[in-house]
Amino acid sequence: MSELTQETGPAARVRVVIVGAGMAGVQTAVALREQGFPGSVTLIGAEPHQPYDRPPLSKAVLLGKAEGSAFDVDFETLDVALRLGLEVTGVRPDTRELDTAEGRVPYDVLVVATGAEPVRLPGAEGVPGVHLLRTLDDAERLRPVLARQHDIVVVGAGWIGAEFATAAREAGCSVTVVEAADRPLVGALPAEVAAPMAAWYADSGASLRTHARVERVEPGAVVLDDGSRLPAGAVVVGIGARPATSWLAGSGIELGAHREVVADDHLRTSLPGVYAVGDCASFPSGRYGERLLVHHWDNALQGPRTVAANIVGETPAPYDPVPYFWSEQFGRFVQYAGHHGAADALLWRGDPAGPSWSVCWLREGRLVAVLAVGRPRDLAQGRRLIESGTRMDPDLLTDPSRPLKRAAL
């Protein structure tokens, strides 16, 4: 029996309300039923659409190869109540109620799964032709833009900027990517690893301009701080995302430095009966010895199992995954597992000028992260080696002809 059922009575009467109908929210609802939770489950989503997966938005949906990416989940059979198109504006922890436009919604257990929202480009709000790419509606608005083969300026050379530029080039658009830093992926990868990726833009026919800060956006043009003007039938902004937690103001739920929900190693928040999962929450990693804020699909898939286990009264192992994500860009399949922040060695497998190569990060001789470009076997083996904490032979590891697992000591 969980602490909650001790407070509220039989589990069959416990009301779980999940705020956020993306991957983390949907998987929490599914996991609750899979783990035998008998109480009521309500899933609230701010968008009016049937809950959908986000990765296809920058690929198949954007290019018109798919109409949508709705999850293949039968919510009616699972007895999960969907309340879509409903924005939650606040939490009343004393009475365990949520504030919404349709009145208050009571809960016994609250799961915060509101994800992240894109950072907007200052001064670009309201300018015609400026787009974000985060929601299904965003993708639907951009699809005809690509079909008309506009000149497109992408602001930001991060993961989403590269993926959108890839789709725009595939659609036949002229693409210029502007990045304020000196290289792509400046916040995600070290300079020596990101540098080879800069050439991918030119190889695809896109133009990458680094050290390029946007002064302002005008209808039909982007003006940089050096005075140059870039023609832009459309501007797509991809300069990062931040946890969507403004609705938690005044709730007493502890937020971290990035305004994310501070969760413990079981994804519990600072308030009893409230959990947080996915892009909106950070958690302490025993494996890496620091708190992680992971804005990736796999985290939103894995975390809900821990949340559900806690709600049904089990005692799961601490949540401490090996972070994982992938990106398809410029004809390359890029995968990353782990966390390289505290690594003390970086080793290459293969030539970064070639079509396939990997980078491995070690700490005290153990693999802590791997980036694989066109080498999925390196990624799969590396992920298992990170999980097991195996010591590695650096000389064997740098031989790309040898399977990565053969470098284990």
Side-chain angles (χ1 to χ4, degrees):
M1 178 181 293
S2 69
E3 295 178 15
L4 187 78
T5 54
Q6 292 175 11
E7 289 180 39
T8 59
R13 294 208 302 265
V14 172
R15 300 162 299 186
V16 174
V17 176
I18 304 164
V19 182
M23 172 62 80
V26 167
Q27 289 301 319
T28 299
V30 171
L32 281 167
R33 293 307 190 213
E34 287 180 345
Q35 296 183 32
F37 177 70
S40 72
V41 178
T42 300
L43 184 65
I44 300 178
E47 295 181 57
H49 309 290
Q50 194 74 5
Y52 62 87
D53 203 6
R54 292 189 189 279
L57 297 185
S58 62
K59 306 172 185 72
V61 175
L62 190 61
L63 291 170
K65 298 177 181 179
E67 287 304 313
S69 55
F71 291 113
D72 185 17
V73 175
D74 188 336
F75 294 101
E76 186 174 355
T77 298
L78 287 176
D79 192 21
V80 172
L82 288 182
R83 299 191 64 177
L84 303 176
L86 181 62
E87 187 171 356
V88 178
T89 56
V91 183
R92 299 174 184 263
D94 293 343
T95 57
R96 294 202 176 187
E97 292 176 308
L98 301 174
D99 290 328
T100 79
E102 297 177 6
R104 296 184 187 178
V105 176
Y107 68 86
D108 297 309
V109 179
L110 172 63
V111 181
V112 179
T114 40
E117 56 195 5
V119 176
R120 297 178 182 273
L121 184 65
E125 291 88 350
V127 178
V130 176
H131 300 263
L132 300 168
L133 181 52
R134 182 71 182 180
T135 68
L136 180 58
D137 288 341
D138 292 337
E140 294 289 355
R141 281 189 288 266
L142 276 164
R143 188 151 54 173
V145 172
L146 296 193
R148 289 193 294 268
Q149 298 187 334
H150 278 298
D151 289 338
I152 293 177
V153 173
V154 180
V155 183
W159 299 113
I160 192 66
E163 290 183 3
F164 178 80
T166 299
R169 287 297 301 140
E170 186 176 332
C173 299
S174 173
V175 179
T176 301
V177 181
V178 297
E179 168 58 52
D182 61 350
R183 62 185 185 276
L185 296 166
V186 68
L189 295 174
E192 60 191 299
V193 178
M197 298 177 175
W200 299 356
Y201 289 78
D203 291 346
S204 76
S207 172
L208 173 64
R209 295 188 57 164
T210 56
H211 298 287
R213 292 187 176 276
V214 175
E215 180 72 26
R216 65 185 182 277
V217 179
E218 301 174 350
V222 172
V223 181
L224 302 180
D225 62 358
D226 64 0
S228 58
R229 296 171 62 87
L230 305 176
V235 178
V236 177
V237 179
I239 54 175
R242 61 168 64 96
T245 57
S246 59
W247 62 284
L248 297 174
S251 67
I253 295 174
E254 182 185 355
L255 301 181
H258 301 282
R259 307 302 293 167
E260 86 282 8
V261 179
V262 175
D264 69 6
D265 60 2
H266 286 77
L267 301 180
R268 298 171 294 211
T269 74
S270 58
L271 285 185
V274 181
Y275 297 82
V277 64
D279 290 5
C280 65
S282 65
F283 56 89
S285 169
R287 176 180 286 107
Y288 291 106
E290 60 184 284
R291 179 166 286 276
L292 300 182
L293 175 60
V294 180
H295 280 190
H296 295 301
W297 184 91
D298 193 64
N299 179 49
L301 176 67
Q302 305 294 340
R305 297 170 193 159
T306 295
V307 172
N310 278 282
I311 292 172
V312 301
E314 296 179 5
T315 307
Y319 184 64
D320 196 8
V322 173
Y324 166 75
F325 73 90
W326 79 95
S327 177
E328 297 175 69
Q329 51 182 270
F330 308 120
R332 293 166 174 84
F333 186 44
V334 183
Q335 295 171 283
Y336 178 96
H339 177 66
H340 64 265
D344 53 33
L346 184 156
L347 300 173
W348 292 84
R349 285 171 58 80
D351 180 2
S356 62
W357 46 274
S358 297
V359 175
C360 295
W361 286 268
L362 303 181
R363 185 178 66 211
E364 298 176 354
R366 290 178 169 83
L367 192 66
V368 293
V370 59
L371 173 82
V373 177
R375 293 181 66 97
R377 188 171 297 177
D378 277 6
L379 190 288
Q381 294 179 8
R383 194 174 184 181
R384 289 193 289 270
L385 290 165
I386 295 168
E387 288 172 346
S388 63
T390 306
R391 294 187 66 84
M392 308 295 291
D393 182 320
D395 293 329
L396 297 179
L397 186 149
T398 54
D399 180 356
S401 67
R402 189 185 300 266
L404 188 58
K405 62 184 179 183
R406 299 297 184 202
L409 293 173

